[in-house]
Amino acid sequence: MPSPDHVTPGEKRKLTRLAKDLKHWAKVNGRDFPWRSSEANTYQQVVVEVLLQRTTAAAVAGFFEAFVAKYPSWGQLASANVEDLEEFLRPLGLWRRRAQSLLGIAKYAAEKEGQFPSDPLEHRQIPAVGQYVSNAIMQFQHGQPAPLLDVNMARVIERFVRPRKLADIRHDKWLQEAAHWLVRQDPREVNWAVLDFAALICRSRSPLCTSCPVSARCSYFKRGGNAQAG
DNA sequence: AAGCCGGGGCC
DNA sequence: GGCCCAGGCTT
């Protein structure tokens, strides 16, 4: 009996096949956002993660262009007036907390000329940078494979393979390992594919299992998880 | 481990 | 009306 903290070889094969299938699925069905554009710079790729926290990507999509126009760099964001920033963020929600987060990370980044540490342990002290944003930094600035492991990616992995043991995503070793394995090749493409798949098919409420490209191998589907069948 | 932030979309 | 959303911070 394998340790519950460890991803088994069988689970790794499942995840490898899942990554392949979701990449294929996303080529046709994936979403297109401005921050995924080849034009997007590291500032935009990192700052958007703060905008996306607890916020739908659709809402950020209608906001992103205006934000980067008003605050085009870490330096200009760092020197923003707090009240102006709060007012600008208001339609997006979480505006007080988010203004503080953005100012904090911008001041740090401006000080370091936009360079974040390559050691994720050093990210702990940076405002607004938790495990998720840390992984985004590792991927987008340092080219290191890292999972954008949020509630959505967690849901996909848990349904497809098995549920995690711990309540907190960040403390579940098995889930962490599974997510890293899932995105180890073509991390950008797979990360975005998984997030798109989670948002469009493997939704938290009423998942569209009948339209799912991987339902045949999904443990959640095989257990009859979706009662209304899409 | 749980509560909090927050407006908007969706049921 | 309640739930959810590319989390992080505080208690």
Side-chain angles (χ1 to χ4, degrees):
Chain A
M1 174 146 180
S3 162
D5 288 344
H6 219 70
V7 181
T8 67
E11 290 169 339
K12 286 183 177 178
R13 283 194 297 275
K14 264 191 103 165
L15 290 164
T16 298
R17 176 76 185 276
L18 177 64
K20 180 189 168 195
D21 289 346
L22 292 190
K23 275 194 291 186
H24 180 76
W25 173 89
K27 279 180 180 164
V28 180
N29 304 286
R31 299 177 297 180
D32 190 24
F33 293 119
W35 55 89
R36 293 182 180 181
S37 159
S38 56
E39 315 276 312
N41 57 36
T42 305
Y43 163 70
Q44 295 170 1
Q45 290 174 323
V46 173
V47 83
V48 75
E49 300 298 348
V50 180
L51 300 179
L52 283 162
Q53 288 171 7
R54 300 301 295 170
T55 308
T56 58
V60 177
F63 190 86
F64 180 77
E65 310 256 5
F67 183 88
V68 297
K70 188 169 172 68
Y71 305 105
S73 69
W74 289 123
Q76 283 165 282
L77 181 57
S79 60
N81 174 276
V82 191
E83 293 168 9
D84 286 348
L85 183 58
E86 287 181 346
E87 194 58 34
F88 194 76
L89 292 169
R90 193 184 293 261
L92 205 58
L94 298 174
W95 45 277
R96 273 190 290 253
R97 182 180 294 273
R98 209 184 312 253
Q100 290 305 316
S101 295
L102 287 170
L103 283 175
I105 189 175
K107 283 173 180 168
Y108 176 93
E111 180 85 9
K112 311 281 183 175
E113 298 179 340
Q115 283 295 317
F116 293 92
S118 57
D119 180 358
L121 293 178
E122 296 179 34
H123 292 175
R124 280 290 138 198
Q125 61 190 22
I126 308 172
V129 180
Q131 188 192 66
Y132 179 91
V133 176
S134 177
N135 281 347
I137 289 169
M138 291 309 291
Q139 177 181 220
F140 292 119
Q141 182 160 75
H142 300 298
Q144 296 290 113
L148 298 179
L149 178 54
D150 66 334
V151 292
N152 297 298
M153 182 178 290
R155 183 175 63 251
V156 172
I157 292 173
E158 292 182 79
R159 279 181 178 162
F160 191 73
V161 185
R162 70 163 173 82
R164 65 175 178 264
K165 301 291 187 196
L166 302 181
D168 194 323
I169 290 172
R170 298 179 302 253
H171 296 133
D172 192 287
K173 192 173 178 183
W174 179 87
L175 184 58
Q176 291 289 329
E177 211 175 296
H180 277 273
W181 183 266
L182 180 64
V183 306
R184 75 195 185 288
Q185 291 176 348
D186 303 323
R188 264 164 101 100
E189 194 181 349
V190 177
N191 271 312
W192 288 335
V194 173
L195 294 179
D196 290 349
F197 174 73
L200 299 177
I201 301 291
C202 197
R203 311 182 298 192
S204 67
R205 288 178 301 186
S206 58
L208 302 179
C209 295
T210 55
S211 302
C212 176
V214 297
S215 62
R217 282 171 286 113
C218 174
S219 64
Y220 173 83
F221 180 72
K222 286 192 273 192
R223 284 168 185 246
N226 180 15
Q228 65 187 39

